[in-house]
Amino acid sequence: MVSSSLLSRRSCFFSRGLHVVGKQLSCPCSEDIVFKAICVNLRHRRWKFFDHVFPSLTDALVSRVIGEFRNSPQLALDFYNWVGEKKGFQLSLASCCALIHVMVRSRRFDDALSLMEKLIHVNGMTPLEVLDGLLDSYEFHDSCPAVFDALVRACTQSGATEGAYLVIKKLRTDGLLVTIHAWNNFLSQLLKLNEIVRVLEHECELLQAISTFYRMLKSGIRPNIVTFNMMIDGACKMGDIELALKLVEKMGVMSKYYVSPNTITYNSIINGFCKLGKVAFLEEVVNEMIKVGFKPDVRSYATMIDGYARRGCLEEALRLCDEMVERGLTPNTVVYNSVLHWLYSEGDIRGASLVLSDMIDKHVFPDQFTYSTVVQGLCRNGYMMQAFRFHSQVLEKNVIEDTFSHNILINYLCKSNDLSGAMQLVGSMFIHGLIPDSVTYGALIDGHCKEGKLESAVQVYEKMVKVEKEPNIVIYNSILNGLCKEMSVDVARRMIDSLKSMGLSDSVTFNALLNCYCGHGDIGEAFALFLEMTKVGRLVNTVTYNTLINFLCKCGCFQQAKELMKRMDLEGLTPDFITYTTLITYSAKNCSPDEVIELHDYMVLKGVVPYIPTYRAIVSPLLREENEQTRV
């Protein structure tokens, strides 16, 4: 009896205990119990359990769990993502910053950058707001300065250059460490912007980068070789070789003799001189490089070889190839591709074949650029059969991975009016698992349009749209040219209006319609379009003026054509040999010899290089006649 009574009382007590614990687990105020339960179940990845505790979750609790798993970053990230996927729970800046600290401490920078970019671009927070969140949680999560470097990088990667600068500025104002990595990241972004802005803006960006560089110096931050090389490379890409050389010269003084030029520095200078075509200075740079203990590497030679070849000094480029081999360096595919390109450009087919053989003998494996260079080089020099034979040999080896070489051949077939051959080659692409791209379709559309087969061109266009290839302005211009050849002026005008609304029109588009109006003899519409083009800006070019000048000459309005040429000069556009040929040919037929010579002299003084056949046929006899009269 006693034992059963004790068991009953114990059972009752145990039930009451379970009830109390149950009440505590379900109570939102009992954060510690919920926290411990989450941690235990998270370690065992029992995700179903979290459905029960979801109503008890708070942002503070999420941040606490993330902090607990600082040494298990993947679990912390998985938990954060699980919470974020649940509807109705809005993750705050605090919990996201907690996870960023964990990711940075674990050197998982890509995850940290992704979180920061999401805060800025998805959640709409400013870089300074993100910085405040990181600063507020910095000590609690025992973080490190690398988290601020990551924020600067996130800003620059997402294009928020100004935000990156504001972050650096606030860190300096608050007396916090701004590392060399943050400064280098900011500098790198400023210099990368050179690729997407115009020349004048390029100079502004370079000056801003230099300004940032001096701020680093004033802040007591000692620039490293990466900083200097970025500045030097940026100056070289801008064409400011003098600034680049000054930076090399002052590198020691500015870094308190901590930094000196390395191979990358000299390679940037070599590249800078090559871009400017000043190959005469390359030997001096290489000698200086060797003098301070560095030897030219494969990249140095690759740059110089291409630089000499671009200036027409192919013999010197080939000599450098021999020199690098003598120094124990093996030319890579970049070197071989460059030499092949320039040999084909000069029409040296035999020389190119020998270089290709040498490349294979030295076990330097050709890449996609090599194949494309050979195919294009043979086609450009009229060796179409050899180009097809080479292409077939390469196809058999299954080493062609892109559409580039196919597109070259298709383009040449279309230009040769062999549309059936081009279509057969498209079929070959499918057989070899290559999908035609917008370049393929563009070549076919252009070929059909030039043949006057507008319906076939539209059919190709419709196929292109069906396979979700987005047409570009080149393709639209091809169709527009086809419409203009068919004298479908109204359809061409409507098409241009549609392109304008899509923001796709360019000078080629408008010039095609202008030529169409002129061909149609519609002088009113032609000049109305010309005025429209001048108002838009950047649409009027030499082609525009040449079209109108030719039209006026054909209409017998020679004086107006001459006036238009003078306006062309006032607009900063230089007449070219087409302008010269048009005006001189007409004046020779309808004007006195004195007027022809006067026009010739005027245009030559304006920098026009006469078209030699025109010059010989029309002007030379007149000049001889004038000289004979002078002798008499």
Side-chain angles (χ1 to χ4, degrees):
M1 291 289 293
V2 174
S3 61
S4 62
S5 176
L6 282 171
L7 282 169
S8 177
R9 284 163 60 191
R10 187 179 296 173
S11 176
C12 184
F13 177 76
F14 187 65
S15 297
R16 284 202 304 272
L18 279 173
H19 180 69
V20 171
V21 171
K23 280 185 72 177
Q24 285 178 333
L25 275 170
S26 62
C27 178
C29 300
S30 306
E31 191 177 280
D32 286 344
I33 295 173
V34 177
F35 169 71
K36 289 177 182 177
I38 290 173
C39 291
V40 169
N41 285 279
L42 182 57
R43 286 191 179 92
H44 292 90
R45 295 181 177 274
R46 296 173 184 146
W47 298 105
K48 288 185 179 179
F49 167 80
F50 298 123
D51 290 328
H52 301 294
V53 297
F54 183 73
S56 304
L57 279 178
T58 63
D59 194 68
L61 187 57
V62 172
S63 298
R64 189 176 170 189
V65 171
I66 289 169
E68 179 70 16
F69 283 85
R70 65 174 65 91
N71 295 322
S72 302
Q74 189 57 52
L75 278 175
L77 181 61
D78 290 345
F79 176 69
Y80 179 86
N81 289 335
W82 178 87
V83 174
E85 288 168 4
K86 282 289 181 181
K87 292 180 180 179
F89 194 92
Q90 295 293 323
L91 288 163
S92 71
L93 174 63
S95 58
C96 188
C97 285
L99 185 60
I100 289 168
H101 288 302
V102 170
M103 293 296 113
V104 171
R105 276 176 55 89
S106 305
R107 303 190 67 78
R108 293 180 55 157
F109 294 109
D110 287 343
D111 290 320
L113 290 171
S114 177
L115 289 163
M116 290 174 176
E117 287 177 6
K118 187 177 178 182
L119 284 174
I120 295 169
H121 291 288
V122 178
N123 296 4
M125 292 186 178
T126 66
L128 287 179
E129 286 174 331
V130 178
L131 177 61
D132 288 338
L134 293 171
L135 288 170
D136 290 342
S137 53
Y138 186 86
E139 290 185 9
F140 180 81
H141 290 283
D142 191 24
S143 196
C144 59
V147 76
F148 305 128
D149 295 345
L151 178 56
V152 172
R153 184 180 295 179
C155 291
T156 56
Q157 280 188 183
S158 59
T161 313
E162 187 178 350
Y165 173 65
L166 292 173
V167 168
I168 291 174
K169 186 178 179 181
K170 181 168 173 55
L171 288 169
R172 287 178 59 211
T173 304
D174 293 351
L176 294 164
L177 176 66
V178 181
T179 68
I180 188 68
H181 305 295
W183 281 109
N184 282 351
N185 223 292
F186 180 51
L187 270 173
S188 177
Q189 177 62 16
L190 288 178
L191 294 168
K192 279 179 183 176
L193 288 173
N194 292 340
E195 297 172 8
I196 57 171
V197 287
R198 289 168 295 164
V199 175
L200 184 60
E201 292 168 333
H202 283 188
E203 293 172 2
C204 294
E205 295 297 344
L206 184 59
L207 290 172
Q208 191 177 351
I210 293 167
S211 174
T212 302
F213 181 70
Y214 280 108
R215 286 193 205 110
M216 289 172 67
L217 295 173
K218 288 180 181 178
S219 301
I221 295 173
R222 188 165 54 186
N224 58 15
I225 188 62
V226 176
T227 316
F228 278 103
N229 282 344
M230 280 195 298
M231 292 294 299
I232 290 162
D233 189 55
C236 288
K237 284 177 179 175
M238 283 292 302
D240 196 341
I241 196 72
E242 289 184 14
L243 173 60
L245 292 170
K246 282 179 185 175
L247 285 167
V248 174
E249 183 187 348
K250 302 292 183 183
M251 191 182 285
V253 175
M254 295 170 82
S255 66
K256 297 182 180 178
Y257 298 97
Y258 174 73
V259 176
S260 57
N262 61 10
T263 306
I264 296 171
T265 316
Y266 286 107
N267 281 346
S268 293
I269 297 295
I270 288 169
N271 188 45
F273 276 121
C274 286
K275 278 187 177 293
L276 293 172
K278 297 182 177 180
V279 291
F281 293 92
L282 294 181
E283 188 176 350
E284 189 179 333
V285 177
V286 171
N287 289 338
E288 177 65 23
M289 187 179 183
I290 295 169
K291 185 180 175 182
V292 296
F294 294 105
K295 292 181 180 179
D297 58 13
V298 173
R299 185 176 177 182
S300 314
Y301 277 104
T303 307
M304 289 191 291
I305 287 165
D306 191 65
Y308 274 112
R310 281 180 188 277
R311 297 297 295 172
C313 307
L314 198 53
E315 287 186 13
E316 181 62 20
L318 293 170
R319 187 195 67 76
L320 284 171
C321 288
D322 294 335
E323 183 182 298
M324 71 181 292
V325 173
E326 287 170 7
R327 291 192 174 185
L329 297 171
T330 303
N332 59 13
T333 51
V334 176
V335 175
Y336 278 110
N337 288 347
S338 178
V339 173
L340 282 168
H341 171 78
W342 293 110
L343 283 169
Y344 281 122
S345 295
E346 291 205 352
D348 189 353
I349 307 300
R350 185 173 179 278
S353 299
L354 291 171
V355 168
L356 186 61
S357 298
D358 184 64
M359 182 180 188
I360 295 165
D361 290 343
K362 286 190 168 62
H363 303 290
V364 179
F365 297 104
D367 59 10
Q368 302 301 313
F369 291 104
T370 316
Y371 304 136
S372 300
T373 301
V374 174
V375 170
Q376 190 163 35
L378 290 169
C379 287
R380 186 187 295 161
N381 287 282
Y383 293 88
M384 290 290 291
M385 292 303 297
Q386 289 87 333
F388 275 99
R389 197 177 300 123
F390 175 79
H391 181 72
S392 299
Q393 290 170 355
V394 175
L395 272 179
E396 286 173 8
K397 295 177 182 177
N398 293 318
V399 290
I400 290 185
E401 300 169 358
D402 58 28
T403 61
F404 202 80
S405 56
H406 274 90
N407 287 342
I408 292 166
L409 290 169
I410 289 167
N411 186 48
Y412 273 95
L413 284 169
C414 289
K415 285 181 177 178
S416 304
N417 301 325
D418 188 358
L419 292 174
S420 60
M423 294 305 293
Q424 285 178 8
L425 204 54
V426 172
S428 168
M429 289 176 71
F430 283 109
I431 291 168
H432 289 88
L434 297 170
I435 307 300
D437 55 19
S438 57
V439 178
T440 319
Y441 287 110
L444 292 171
I445 290 168
D446 188 56
H448 282 297
C449 287
K450 283 177 179 174
E451 282 278 284
K453 298 177 180 178
L454 204 57
E455 286 186 16
S456 300
V458 171
Q459 287 173 5
V460 175
Y461 172 81
E462 287 172 349
K463 283 181 184 177
M464 177 183 179
V465 174
K466 279 181 183 177
V467 294
E468 297 181 353
K469 298 292 181 186
E470 189 174 340
N472 54 33
I473 188 62
V474 177
I475 292 170
Y476 284 122
N477 284 341
S478 294
I479 296 171
L480 187 65
N481 272 313
L483 289 168
C484 291
K485 280 186 178 180
E486 293 290 313
M487 289 300 169
S488 304
V489 184
D490 293 337
V491 180
R493 179 74 244 194
R494 287 199 297 273
M495 185 177 175
I496 284 187
D497 290 338
S498 298
L499 291 175
K500 277 173 65 180
S501 65
M502 292 188 289
L504 284 174
S505 56
D506 62 5
S507 58
V508 177
T509 315
F510 280 91
N511 282 336
L513 183 59
L514 183 68
N515 190 55
C516 191
Y517 281 137
C518 290
H520 209 258
D522 200 334
I523 192 166
E525 290 291 347
F527 276 91
L529 181 63
F530 175 67
L531 289 173
E532 183 184 336
M533 291 170 72
T534 55
K535 287 176 184 176
V536 174
R538 293 191 185 179
L539 289 178
V540 177
N541 56 20
T542 307
V543 176
T544 314
Y545 278 99
N546 284 345
T547 303
L548 288 172
I549 288 168
N550 183 55
F551 180 45
L552 288 169
C553 285
K554 283 183 177 179
C555 293
C557 305
F558 182 62
Q559 204 56 41
Q560 288 87 337
K562 283 172 65 179
E563 290 299 319
L564 201 58
M565 181 195 65
K566 290 177 180 177
R567 176 175 172 172
M568 182 183 185
D569 186 41
L570 291 171
E571 293 290 334
L573 294 168
T574 305
D576 60 11
F577 74 90
I578 295 174
T579 326
Y580 176 90
T581 301
T582 304
L583 288 169
I584 293 290
T585 302
Y586 183 85
S587 63
K589 290 177 181 177
N590 299 278
C591 303
S592 68
D594 290 340
E595 287 177 291
V596 175
I597 293 167
E598 184 186 345
L599 180 61
H600 161 77
D601 292 345
Y602 174 84
M603 294 183 75
V604 170
L605 285 170
K606 290 297 178 182
V608 180
V609 178
Y611 185 51
I612 301 301
T614 309
Y615 180 82
R616 285 175 180 165
I618 299 171
V619 181
S620 294
L622 293 171
L623 289 173
R624 282 198 299 272
E625 184 182 325
E626 186 184 39
N627 289 335
E628 286 170 7
Q629 288 175 356
T630 306
R631 288 194 200 100
V632 174

